[in-house]
Amino acid sequence: MTVLAHQTDTLTRDALAVLQPGFEGTTAPAWLLRRIGEGLTAVGLFGRNIASPEQLAALTAQLRTERDDVLVAIDEEGGDVTRLEVRGGSSFPGNLALGAVDDTGLTRDVARELGRRLAECGVNLNWAPSADVNSNPDNPVIGVRSFGADTGLAARHTAAYVEGLQAAGVAACTKHFPGHGDTNVDSHHALPRIDVDLDTLQARELVPFKAAIEAGTKAVMSAHILVPALDPTRPATLSPQILTGLLRKELGYEGLIVTDGMEMNAIAGTYGIERGSVLAIAAGADAICVGGGLADEATVLRLRDALVAAVREGTLPEERLADAAARVRELAAWTLGARPDARPEGSRASGIGLTAARRALLVTGPVGPVRNPYVATLTPVANIAVGDETPWGVAGELAALVPGTASGRYPEGAAAADILAAAGDRTVVAVVRDAHRHPWMTEALDALVAVRPDTVVVEMGLPQAAPRGALHIATHGASRVCGRAAAEVIAGV
Protein backbone atom coordinates (compact mmCIF):
# COMPACT_ATOMS: atom_id res chain seq x y z
CA MET A 1 0.00 0.00 0.00
CA THR A 2 1.35 3.45 -0.92
CA VAL A 3 1.75 6.19 1.70
CA LEU A 4 -1.09 8.19 0.08
CA ALA A 5 -3.40 5.17 0.02
CA HIS A 6 -2.61 4.42 3.65
CA GLN A 7 -3.26 8.03 4.61
CA THR A 8 -6.56 7.99 2.73
CA ASP A 9 -7.63 4.76 4.43
CA THR A 10 -6.73 6.18 7.85
CA LEU A 11 -8.62 9.42 7.19
CA THR A 12 -11.68 7.52 6.03
CA ARG A 13 -11.68 5.26 9.07
CA ASP A 14 -11.23 8.22 11.42
CA ALA A 15 -14.01 10.14 9.70
CA LEU A 16 -16.35 7.16 10.08
CA ALA A 17 -15.27 6.64 13.70
CA VAL A 18 -16.50 10.07 14.83
CA LEU A 19 -20.04 9.60 13.46
CA GLN A 20 -23.02 8.38 15.51
CA PRO A 21 -25.67 7.75 12.83
CA GLY A 22 -29.13 6.27 13.04
CA PHE A 23 -31.01 3.95 10.73
CA GLU A 24 -34.52 2.75 9.96
CA GLY A 25 -35.97 -0.57 11.09
CA THR A 26 -35.61 -3.09 13.89
CA THR A 27 -32.75 -5.01 12.29
CA ALA A 28 -29.44 -3.61 11.08
CA PRO A 29 -29.41 -2.84 7.34
CA ALA A 30 -26.60 -4.25 5.26
CA TRP A 31 -25.10 -0.82 4.59
CA LEU A 32 -24.74 -0.13 8.31
CA LEU A 33 -22.97 -3.42 8.98
CA ARG A 34 -20.66 -2.76 6.05
CA ARG A 35 -19.73 0.70 7.36
CA ILE A 36 -19.10 -0.71 10.86
CA GLY A 37 -16.65 -3.10 9.24
CA GLU A 38 -14.98 -0.11 7.56
CA GLY A 39 -14.47 1.86 10.78
CA LEU A 40 -17.82 3.21 11.97
CA THR A 41 -17.58 2.86 15.76
CA ALA A 42 -20.96 4.06 17.04
CA VAL A 43 -24.64 3.76 16.19
CA GLY A 44 -27.58 5.73 17.61
CA LEU A 45 -30.88 4.03 18.39
CA PHE A 46 -34.30 5.69 18.44
CA GLY A 47 -37.85 4.61 19.16
CA ARG A 48 -38.31 3.44 15.58
CA ASN A 49 -35.61 0.80 16.15
CA ILE A 50 -37.16 -0.80 19.23
CA ALA A 51 -40.07 -3.22 19.50
CA SER A 52 -39.19 -5.19 22.64
CA PRO A 53 -36.21 -5.88 24.93
CA GLU A 54 -35.68 -9.22 23.20
CA GLN A 55 -35.67 -7.65 19.75
CA LEU A 56 -33.31 -4.91 20.93
CA ALA A 57 -30.88 -7.46 22.37
CA ALA A 58 -30.91 -9.31 19.04
CA LEU A 59 -30.28 -6.06 17.16
CA THR A 60 -27.29 -5.06 19.27
CA ALA A 61 -25.87 -8.57 18.96
CA GLN A 62 -26.21 -8.24 15.20
CA LEU A 63 -24.27 -4.96 15.27
CA ARG A 64 -21.51 -6.61 17.25
CA THR A 65 -20.96 -9.28 14.64
CA GLU A 66 -18.90 -6.64 12.82
CA ARG A 67 -17.00 -5.32 15.86
CA ASP A 68 -17.51 -6.29 19.46
CA ASP A 69 -16.71 -2.84 20.86
CA VAL A 70 -19.26 -0.86 18.83
CA LEU A 71 -20.86 1.92 20.85
CA VAL A 72 -24.63 1.55 20.85
CA ALA A 73 -26.12 4.84 22.00
CA ILE A 74 -29.66 5.76 22.97
CA ASP A 75 -31.58 8.77 24.28
CA GLU A 76 -33.08 7.08 27.35
CA GLU A 77 -33.61 9.68 30.05
CA GLY A 78 -36.49 7.85 31.67
CA GLY A 79 -39.54 9.95 32.42
CA ASP A 80 -40.96 11.80 29.44
CA VAL A 81 -38.03 10.95 27.12
CA THR A 82 -37.94 7.21 26.61
CA ARG A 83 -36.90 5.07 23.69
CA LEU A 84 -36.72 1.74 25.49
CA GLU A 85 -40.44 1.96 26.33
CA VAL A 86 -41.53 4.34 23.62
CA ARG A 87 -44.88 2.61 23.02
CA GLY A 88 -46.03 2.24 26.60
CA GLY A 89 -44.31 4.91 28.65
CA SER A 90 -41.35 4.66 30.97
CA SER A 91 -41.12 2.50 34.08
CA PHE A 92 -39.04 5.28 35.65
CA PRO A 93 -39.86 8.85 36.58
CA GLY A 94 -37.74 11.55 34.99
CA ASN A 95 -35.32 14.04 36.44
CA LEU A 96 -37.82 16.56 37.83
CA ALA A 97 -39.54 13.86 39.88
CA LEU A 98 -36.21 12.67 41.25
CA GLY A 99 -35.27 16.24 42.07
CA ALA A 100 -38.60 16.73 43.84
CA VAL A 101 -37.86 13.74 46.09
CA ASP A 102 -34.27 15.01 46.56
CA ASP A 103 -32.82 11.69 47.68
CA THR A 104 -29.52 11.21 45.87
CA GLY A 105 -29.42 7.57 46.89
CA LEU A 106 -32.75 7.05 45.16
CA THR A 107 -31.54 8.87 42.05
CA ARG A 108 -28.41 6.72 41.97
CA ASP A 109 -30.45 3.52 42.33
CA VAL A 110 -32.95 4.55 39.65
CA ALA A 111 -30.14 5.35 37.21
CA ARG A 112 -28.40 2.05 38.01
CA GLU A 113 -31.57 0.05 37.40
CA LEU A 114 -32.25 1.91 34.16
CA GLY A 115 -28.63 1.29 33.13
CA ARG A 116 -28.94 -2.38 34.00
CA ARG A 117 -31.93 -2.73 31.67
CA LEU A 118 -30.07 -0.95 28.89
CA ALA A 119 -26.99 -3.13 29.39
CA GLU A 120 -29.11 -6.29 29.26
CA CYS A 121 -30.24 -5.16 25.81
CA GLY A 122 -26.70 -4.43 24.65
CA VAL A 123 -26.84 -0.62 24.91
CA ASN A 124 -23.65 0.85 26.36
CA LEU A 125 -23.91 4.63 25.87
CA ASN A 126 -26.84 6.67 27.14
CA TRP A 127 -27.31 10.29 26.03
CA ALA A 128 -28.30 11.21 29.60
CA PRO A 129 -28.62 12.80 32.10
CA SER A 130 -29.75 16.36 31.44
CA ALA A 131 -27.71 18.55 33.76
CA ASP A 132 -29.51 21.74 32.72
CA VAL A 133 -30.69 24.04 35.50
CA ASN A 134 -34.24 24.85 34.42
CA SER A 135 -34.11 28.47 35.54
CA ASN A 136 -36.63 29.58 32.90
CA PRO A 137 -40.05 28.01 33.64
CA ASP A 138 -41.16 28.84 30.09
CA ASN A 139 -38.42 26.65 28.62
CA PRO A 140 -40.16 24.65 25.88
CA VAL A 141 -37.61 21.83 25.53
CA ILE A 142 -36.06 21.11 28.95
CA GLY A 143 -38.70 21.49 31.68
CA VAL A 144 -39.27 18.18 33.47
CA ARG A 145 -36.08 16.80 31.88
CA SER A 146 -34.15 18.92 34.40
CA PHE A 147 -33.71 17.99 38.06
CA GLY A 148 -34.98 21.48 38.87
CA ALA A 149 -34.30 25.20 39.04
CA ASP A 150 -31.96 24.97 42.04
CA THR A 151 -28.30 24.76 41.03
CA GLY A 152 -27.10 22.74 44.00
CA LEU A 153 -29.92 20.24 43.67
CA ALA A 154 -29.26 19.80 39.93
CA ALA A 155 -25.55 19.29 40.59
CA ARG A 156 -25.85 16.61 43.27
CA HIS A 157 -28.48 14.65 41.35
CA THR A 158 -26.54 14.89 38.10
CA ALA A 159 -23.53 13.36 39.85
CA ALA A 160 -25.65 10.64 41.46
CA TYR A 161 -27.23 9.78 38.10
CA VAL A 162 -23.85 9.53 36.38
CA GLU A 163 -22.55 7.27 39.15
CA GLY A 164 -25.60 5.01 39.03
CA LEU A 165 -25.69 4.67 35.27
CA GLN A 166 -21.98 3.90 34.97
CA ALA A 167 -22.16 1.44 37.86
CA ALA A 168 -24.31 -0.61 35.48
CA GLY A 169 -21.59 -0.53 32.83
CA VAL A 170 -23.35 2.06 30.65
CA ALA A 171 -21.46 5.26 29.79
CA ALA A 172 -23.26 8.46 30.80
CA CYS A 173 -23.41 11.43 28.43
CA THR A 174 -24.15 14.55 30.48
CA LYS A 175 -26.00 17.23 28.51
CA HIS A 176 -26.52 19.96 27.22
CA PHE A 177 -23.23 21.84 27.76
CA PRO A 178 -22.85 24.64 28.78
CA GLY A 179 -26.49 24.56 29.92
CA HIS A 180 -29.84 24.74 28.08
CA GLY A 181 -32.04 25.66 31.03
CA ASP A 182 -32.40 29.41 30.52
CA THR A 183 -33.84 29.30 27.01
CA ASN A 184 -37.30 30.02 25.64
CA VAL A 185 -36.56 28.56 22.19
CA ASP A 186 -36.36 24.89 21.24
CA SER A 187 -33.07 24.24 19.43
CA HIS A 188 -34.83 21.61 17.32
CA HIS A 189 -36.52 24.57 15.60
CA ALA A 190 -34.15 27.55 15.90
CA LEU A 191 -30.96 28.76 17.59
CA PRO A 192 -31.60 29.73 21.23
CA ARG A 193 -29.61 32.50 22.88
CA ILE A 194 -28.68 32.84 26.55
CA ASP A 195 -27.84 36.41 27.52
CA VAL A 196 -26.29 36.12 30.97
CA ASP A 197 -22.91 37.21 32.24
CA LEU A 198 -19.93 35.01 33.04
CA ASP A 199 -20.53 35.17 36.77
CA THR A 200 -24.05 33.80 36.32
CA LEU A 201 -22.82 31.03 34.05
CA GLN A 202 -20.15 30.04 36.54
CA ALA A 203 -22.53 30.11 39.50
CA ARG A 204 -25.49 28.43 37.78
CA GLU A 205 -25.12 26.67 34.41
CA LEU A 206 -21.66 25.20 34.85
CA VAL A 207 -22.01 23.83 38.38
CA PRO A 208 -23.85 20.57 37.47
CA PHE A 209 -21.34 19.90 34.69
CA LYS A 210 -18.47 20.32 37.11
CA ALA A 211 -20.21 17.81 39.39
CA ALA A 212 -20.64 15.38 36.48
CA ILE A 213 -16.96 15.67 35.57
CA GLU A 214 -15.96 15.00 39.17
CA ALA A 215 -18.29 11.98 39.15
CA GLY A 216 -16.43 10.62 36.12
CA THR A 217 -18.94 11.09 33.31
CA LYS A 218 -17.62 9.33 30.23
CA ALA A 219 -19.21 11.75 27.78
CA VAL A 220 -20.58 15.29 27.61
CA MET A 221 -23.05 16.48 24.97
CA SER A 222 -22.85 20.00 23.60
CA ALA A 223 -25.84 22.31 23.19
CA HIS A 224 -26.85 24.13 20.04
CA ILE A 225 -27.16 27.44 21.89
CA LEU A 226 -25.55 30.84 21.47
CA VAL A 227 -23.97 32.16 24.68
CA PRO A 228 -22.48 35.58 23.82
CA ALA A 229 -20.61 35.83 27.13
CA LEU A 230 -18.57 32.81 26.02
CA ASP A 231 -18.63 33.17 22.22
CA PRO A 232 -20.59 35.95 20.52
CA THR A 233 -20.64 34.37 17.06
CA ARG A 234 -20.84 30.58 17.21
CA PRO A 235 -23.17 28.21 19.06
CA ALA A 236 -21.55 26.03 21.72
CA THR A 237 -21.39 22.95 19.47
CA LEU A 238 -19.22 24.85 16.99
CA SER A 239 -17.24 27.00 19.41
CA PRO A 240 -13.53 26.37 20.15
CA GLN A 241 -13.82 28.81 23.08
CA ILE A 242 -16.57 26.72 24.68
CA LEU A 243 -15.58 23.13 23.84
CA THR A 244 -11.79 23.42 23.98
CA GLY A 245 -11.20 26.56 26.02
CA LEU A 246 -13.90 26.12 28.67
CA LEU A 247 -14.74 22.42 28.79
CA ARG A 248 -11.30 20.96 28.08
CA LYS A 249 -8.87 23.51 29.49
CA GLU A 250 -10.75 25.38 32.22
CA LEU A 251 -12.89 22.52 33.55
CA GLY A 252 -10.25 19.86 32.85
CA TYR A 253 -12.61 17.43 31.11
CA GLU A 254 -10.80 14.63 29.25
CA GLY A 255 -13.61 12.35 28.10
CA LEU A 256 -15.69 12.20 24.92
CA ILE A 257 -17.49 15.30 23.66
CA VAL A 258 -20.61 14.46 21.64
CA THR A 259 -22.70 16.95 19.69
CA ASP A 260 -26.44 17.18 20.01
CA GLY A 261 -28.28 16.08 16.88
CA MET A 262 -26.74 17.89 13.93
CA GLU A 263 -29.97 17.71 11.93
CA MET A 264 -31.63 20.01 14.48
CA ASN A 265 -32.54 23.29 12.85
CA ALA A 266 -30.27 25.35 15.12
CA ILE A 267 -27.35 23.85 13.13
CA ALA A 268 -28.86 22.39 9.95
CA GLY A 269 -30.81 25.57 9.24
CA THR A 270 -27.85 27.91 9.80
CA TYR A 271 -24.62 26.09 8.90
CA GLY A 272 -25.82 22.87 7.27
CA ILE A 273 -24.91 19.46 8.65
CA GLU A 274 -21.75 18.96 6.56
CA ARG A 275 -20.17 22.31 7.39
CA GLY A 276 -21.53 22.12 10.91
CA SER A 277 -19.94 18.72 11.46
CA VAL A 278 -16.54 19.92 10.25
CA LEU A 279 -16.73 23.01 12.45
CA ALA A 280 -17.80 20.91 15.46
CA ILE A 281 -14.82 18.54 15.18
CA ALA A 282 -12.48 21.48 14.61
CA ALA A 283 -13.92 23.19 17.71
CA GLY A 284 -13.17 20.18 19.91
CA ALA A 285 -16.11 17.80 19.56
CA ASP A 286 -15.19 14.13 19.17
CA ALA A 287 -18.43 12.57 17.96
CA ILE A 288 -21.19 13.77 15.65
CA CYS A 289 -24.68 12.73 16.65
CA VAL A 290 -26.88 12.47 13.57
CA GLY A 291 -29.73 10.15 12.79
CA GLY A 292 -32.80 11.34 14.65
CA GLY A 293 -34.24 12.67 11.43
CA LEU A 294 -31.57 11.57 8.96
CA ALA A 295 -31.17 7.82 8.97
CA ASP A 296 -29.68 6.63 5.71
CA GLU A 297 -26.36 5.63 4.22
CA ALA A 298 -26.21 8.75 2.08
CA THR A 299 -26.02 10.93 5.20
CA VAL A 300 -23.14 8.88 6.60
CA LEU A 301 -21.22 9.11 3.34
CA ARG A 302 -21.86 12.85 3.01
CA LEU A 303 -20.48 13.52 6.48
CA ARG A 304 -17.55 11.13 6.06
CA ASP A 305 -16.57 12.75 2.79
CA ALA A 306 -17.01 16.28 4.20
CA LEU A 307 -14.60 15.51 7.04
CA VAL A 308 -12.03 13.90 4.75
CA ALA A 309 -12.26 16.82 2.30
CA ALA A 310 -11.82 19.33 5.13
CA VAL A 311 -8.59 17.62 6.21
CA ARG A 312 -7.25 17.62 2.66
CA GLU A 313 -8.20 21.28 2.17
CA GLY A 314 -6.53 22.26 5.43
CA THR A 315 -9.66 23.55 7.16
CA LEU A 316 -9.66 20.65 9.66
CA PRO A 317 -6.30 19.60 11.14
CA GLU A 318 -5.63 15.91 10.55
CA GLU A 319 -4.40 15.49 14.13
CA ARG A 320 -7.69 16.93 15.47
CA LEU A 321 -9.71 14.35 13.55
CA ALA A 322 -7.33 11.60 14.68
CA ASP A 323 -7.62 12.75 18.31
CA ALA A 324 -11.42 12.74 18.09
CA ALA A 325 -11.48 9.24 16.61
CA ALA A 326 -9.09 8.03 19.31
CA ARG A 327 -11.41 9.31 22.05
CA VAL A 328 -14.32 7.44 20.49
CA ARG A 329 -12.30 4.23 20.38
CA GLU A 330 -11.15 4.75 23.98
CA LEU A 331 -14.75 4.90 25.17
CA ALA A 332 -15.60 1.84 23.09
CA ALA A 333 -12.73 0.00 24.78
CA TRP A 334 -13.99 1.09 28.20
CA THR A 335 -17.38 -0.47 27.54
CA LEU A 336 -15.74 -3.82 26.84
CA GLY A 337 -13.95 -3.75 30.18
CA ALA A 338 -16.74 -2.25 32.30
CA ARG A 339 -17.71 -4.42 35.26
CA PRO A 340 -21.26 -3.62 36.40
CA ASP A 341 -22.05 -3.55 40.11
CA ALA A 342 -24.24 -6.32 41.48
CA ARG A 343 -27.96 -5.60 41.22
CA PRO A 344 -29.59 -4.57 44.53
CA GLU A 345 -31.69 -7.39 45.93
CA GLY A 346 -35.43 -7.36 46.43
CA SER A 347 -38.18 -4.94 45.51
CA ARG A 348 -35.98 -1.85 45.71
CA ALA A 349 -34.54 -2.80 42.34
CA SER A 350 -37.58 -4.27 40.59
CA GLY A 351 -40.15 -1.69 41.73
CA ILE A 352 -37.94 1.32 42.23
CA GLY A 353 -39.47 3.37 39.40
CA LEU A 354 -42.98 3.29 40.82
CA THR A 355 -41.63 3.82 44.34
CA ALA A 356 -39.83 6.96 43.16
CA ALA A 357 -42.91 8.21 41.29
CA ARG A 358 -45.07 7.83 44.40
CA ARG A 359 -42.56 9.73 46.50
CA ALA A 360 -42.45 12.55 43.94
CA LEU A 361 -46.18 13.35 44.13
CA LEU A 362 -47.28 16.68 45.58
CA VAL A 363 -50.91 16.29 46.65
CA THR A 364 -53.13 19.19 47.69
CA GLY A 365 -56.64 18.47 48.96
CA PRO A 366 -58.45 15.35 50.20
CA VAL A 367 -57.34 12.04 48.73
CA GLY A 368 -59.91 9.89 46.84
CA PRO A 369 -61.65 7.69 46.17
CA VAL A 370 -63.15 9.57 43.23
CA ARG A 371 -66.11 7.62 41.93
CA ASN A 372 -67.38 7.55 38.36
CA PRO A 373 -64.50 9.66 36.94
CA TYR A 374 -64.23 11.25 33.52
CA VAL A 375 -60.58 11.85 32.58
CA ALA A 376 -60.11 14.84 30.27
CA THR A 377 -56.53 15.03 29.00
CA LEU A 378 -55.62 18.45 27.61
CA THR A 379 -52.86 17.69 25.11
CA PRO A 380 -50.32 20.29 23.97
CA VAL A 381 -48.09 19.65 20.97
CA ALA A 382 -45.19 17.49 22.20
CA ASN A 383 -41.68 18.79 21.80
CA ILE A 384 -39.48 16.78 19.45
CA ALA A 385 -37.21 15.43 22.19
CA VAL A 386 -40.20 13.83 23.90
CA GLY A 387 -42.04 12.84 20.73
CA ASP A 388 -45.75 12.28 20.28
CA GLU A 389 -45.67 8.50 19.99
CA THR A 390 -45.31 7.80 23.72
CA PRO A 391 -48.65 7.72 25.57
CA TRP A 392 -49.05 9.80 28.73
CA GLY A 393 -51.71 10.71 31.24
CA VAL A 394 -53.72 8.88 33.88
CA ALA A 395 -56.70 7.56 31.93
CA GLY A 396 -55.40 4.05 31.31
CA GLU A 397 -53.95 3.64 34.77
CA LEU A 398 -57.10 4.92 36.46
CA ALA A 399 -59.34 2.67 34.34
CA ALA A 400 -57.35 -0.32 35.62
CA LEU A 401 -58.14 0.73 39.20
CA VAL A 402 -61.67 2.13 38.77
CA PRO A 403 -63.80 0.11 36.34
CA GLY A 404 -66.09 2.24 34.24
CA THR A 405 -63.71 5.18 34.01
CA ALA A 406 -64.43 7.20 30.87
CA SER A 407 -62.00 9.49 29.11
CA GLY A 408 -61.34 11.87 26.24
CA ARG A 409 -58.40 13.82 24.82
CA TYR A 410 -58.63 17.53 24.05
CA PRO A 411 -56.18 19.37 21.78
CA GLU A 412 -55.37 23.06 21.78
CA GLY A 413 -58.49 25.19 21.49
CA ALA A 414 -60.72 22.88 23.51
CA ALA A 415 -62.92 24.63 26.06
CA ALA A 416 -64.45 23.68 29.39
CA ALA A 417 -67.86 23.38 27.75
CA ASP A 418 -66.57 20.57 25.52
CA ILE A 419 -65.33 18.64 28.53
CA LEU A 420 -68.45 19.20 30.63
CA ALA A 421 -70.68 18.05 27.78
CA ALA A 422 -68.75 14.80 27.48
CA ALA A 423 -68.46 14.24 31.24
CA GLY A 424 -72.14 14.62 32.10
CA ASP A 425 -72.58 13.98 35.81
CA ARG A 426 -69.21 12.24 36.22
CA THR A 427 -66.41 13.76 38.30
CA VAL A 428 -63.99 15.51 35.96
CA VAL A 429 -60.30 14.61 36.25
CA ALA A 430 -58.47 17.25 34.18
CA VAL A 431 -54.95 16.21 33.20
CA VAL A 432 -52.56 18.89 31.94
CA ARG A 433 -48.91 19.28 31.04
CA ASP A 434 -47.20 22.63 31.68
CA ALA A 435 -50.50 24.47 32.02
CA HIS A 436 -48.63 27.70 32.83
CA ARG A 437 -47.19 27.74 29.27
CA HIS A 438 -50.55 27.24 27.56
CA PRO A 439 -53.20 29.92 28.13
CA TRP A 440 -55.94 27.78 26.61
CA MET A 441 -55.31 25.13 29.29
CA THR A 442 -55.41 27.68 32.08
CA GLU A 443 -58.68 29.12 30.76
CA ALA A 444 -60.24 25.66 30.48
CA LEU A 445 -59.14 24.71 34.02
CA ASP A 446 -60.44 27.94 35.55
CA ALA A 447 -63.79 27.50 33.82
CA LEU A 448 -64.04 23.86 34.87
CA VAL A 449 -63.32 24.58 38.51
CA ALA A 450 -65.76 27.51 38.53
CA VAL A 451 -68.61 25.31 37.29
CA ARG A 452 -67.56 22.06 38.94
CA PRO A 453 -65.62 22.72 42.18
CA ASP A 454 -65.16 18.98 42.67
CA THR A 455 -62.86 18.83 39.62
CA VAL A 456 -59.61 16.93 40.14
CA VAL A 457 -56.55 18.48 38.45
CA VAL A 458 -53.41 16.50 37.61
CA GLU A 459 -50.42 18.54 36.47
CA MET A 460 -47.86 16.29 34.75
CA GLY A 461 -45.42 19.02 33.74
CA LEU A 462 -43.84 21.83 35.74
CA PRO A 463 -46.16 22.69 38.66
CA GLN A 464 -45.81 26.46 38.32
CA ALA A 465 -49.43 27.54 38.82
CA ALA A 466 -51.17 27.58 42.18
CA PRO A 467 -53.10 24.38 42.95
CA ARG A 468 -56.70 24.44 41.76
CA GLY A 469 -59.58 21.99 42.03
CA ALA A 470 -60.89 19.93 44.94
CA LEU A 471 -57.84 17.68 44.60
CA HIS A 472 -54.64 18.79 42.88
CA ILE A 473 -51.82 16.36 42.11
CA ALA A 474 -48.44 17.41 40.75
CA THR A 475 -46.57 14.39 39.39
CA HIS A 476 -43.42 16.24 38.20
CA GLY A 477 -43.41 14.28 34.94
CA ALA A 478 -45.57 12.31 32.55
CA SER A 479 -44.01 8.84 32.53
CA ARG A 480 -46.23 5.79 32.89
CA VAL A 481 -45.31 5.30 36.54
CA CYS A 482 -46.10 8.95 37.28
CA GLY A 483 -49.56 8.34 35.83
CA ARG A 484 -49.92 5.19 37.89
CA ALA A 485 -48.94 6.98 41.10
CA ALA A 486 -51.49 9.75 40.47
CA ALA A 487 -54.20 7.21 39.61
CA GLU A 488 -53.65 5.48 42.94
CA VAL A 489 -54.30 8.71 44.79
CA ILE A 490 -57.45 9.43 42.76
CA ALA A 491 -58.75 5.91 43.28
CA GLY A 492 -57.88 6.01 46.98
CA VAL A 493 -55.79 2.84 46.91
Side-chain angles (χ1 to χ4, degrees), residues 216-292:
T217 187
K218 294 296 179 181
V220 169
M221 178 176 282
S222 66
H224 302 330
I225 56 174
L226 188 66
V227 188
L230 297 174
D231 187 331
T233 60
R234 286 188 178 179
T237 294
L238 311 183
S239 170
Q241 294 97 310
I242 294 174
L243 298 189
T244 299
L246 176 59
L247 183 54
R248 288 277 186 231
K249 295 181 179 178
E250 185 175 332
L251 300 186
Y253 177 65
E254 297 180 352
L256 190 76
I257 299 176
V258 184
T259 71
D260 206 345
M262 297 300 283
E263 69 271 32
M264 293 164 63
N265 210 41
I267 299 297
T270 53
Y271 294 85
I273 64 167
E274 292 96 335
R275 181 172 177 238
S277 295
V278 170
L279 291 173
I281 297 296
D286 305 305
I288 302 296
C289 176
V290 63

Side-chain angles (χ1 to χ4, degrees), residues 156-483:
R156 61 181 174 266
H157 285 276
T158 295
Y161 198 103
V162 167
E163 291 165 356
L165 194 63
Q166 294 186 170
V170 175
C173 182
T174 305
K175 60 190 184 185
H176 306 80
F177 187 82
H180 209 312
D182 192 18
T183 62
N184 58 10
V185 172
D186 185 343
S187 49
H188 290 89
H189 301 299
L191 179 62
R193 178 185 176 110
I194 296 182
D195 284 304
V196 298
D197 57 31
L198 284 173
D199 288 343
T200 301
L201 289 168
Q202 289 285 355
R204 188 179 65 188
E205 269 73 19
L206 298 182
V207 175
F209 290 97
K210 292 176 182 177
I213 292 168
E214 291 175 3
T217 187
K218 294 296 179 181
V220 169
M221 178 176 282
S222 66
H224 302 330
I225 56 174
L226 188 66
V227 188
L230 297 174
D231 187 331
T233 60
R234 286 188 178 179
T237 294
L238 311 183
S239 170
Q241 294 97 310
I242 294 174
L243 298 189
T244 299
L246 176 59
L247 183 54
R248 288 277 186 231
K249 295 181 179 178
E250 185 175 332
L251 300 186
Y253 177 65
E254 297 180 352
L256 190 76
I257 299 176
V258 184
T259 71
D260 206 345
M262 297 300 283
E263 69 271 32
M264 293 164 63
N265 210 41
I267 299 297
T270 53
Y271 294 85
I273 64 167
E274 292 96 335
R275 181 172 177 238
S277 295
V278 170
L279 291 173
I281 297 296
D286 305 305
I288 302 296
C289 176
V290 63
L294 299 170
D296 55 16
E297 184 177 21
T299 298
V300 173
L301 297 181
R302 282 165 53 202
L303 296 183
R304 179 201 67 183
D305 293 347
L307 292 166
V308 169
V311 171
R312 290 174 174 163
E313 293 164 3
T315 55
L316 174 62
E318 183 176 355
E319 59 272 18
R320 171 78 274 270
L321 179 61
D323 174 65
R327 289 183 190 273
V328 174
R329 294 176 186 127
E330 286 170 10
L331 181 57
W334 176 85
T335 64
L336 282 182
R339 294 291 179 265
D341 289 353
R343 184 187 187 196
E345 296 181 1
S347 61
R348 184 161 176 80
S350 60
I352 194 169
L354 181 55
T355 297
R358 287 168 175 159
R359 291 180 62 185
L361 293 181
L362 179 60
V363 180
T364 305
V367 176
V370 173
R371 305 192 186 281
N372 204 24
Y374 178 80
V375 180
T377 306
L378 282 64
T379 57
V381 176
N383 73 57
I384 293 176
V386 173
D388 58 7
E389 68 268 52
T390 303
W392 66 278
V394 304
E397 298 295 338
L398 188 57
L401 298 174
V402 182
T405 295
S407 63
R409 300 186 77 83
Y410 297 86
E412 182 171 357
D418 303 319
I419 297 169
L420 291 170
D425 60 358
R426 291 172 174 266
T427 301
V428 176
V429 178
V431 183
V432 295
R433 202 172 187 177
D434 288 343
H436 69 284
R437 293 199 302 111
H438 303 285
W440 68 275
M441 280 189 198
T442 300
E443 293 170 10
L445 287 180
D446 288 344
L448 278 171
V449 172
V451 176
R452 298 281 290 274
D454 63 340
T455 296
V456 175
V457 177
V458 182
E459 171 60 82
M460 303 194 80
L462 284 178
Q464 289 297 120
R468 51 164 67 83
L471 172 63
H472 187 277
I473 304 171
T475 62
H476 300 95
S479 71
R480 178 175 54 81
V481 288
C482 290

Side-chain angles (χ1 to χ4, degrees), residues 119-144:
E120 281 187 345
C121 297
V123 176
N124 54 15
L125 172 59
N126 192 8
W127 293 318
S130 291
D132 311 291
V133 179
N134 198 66
S135 56
N136 185 344
D138 292 327
N139 194 318
V141 68
I142 302 300
V144 298

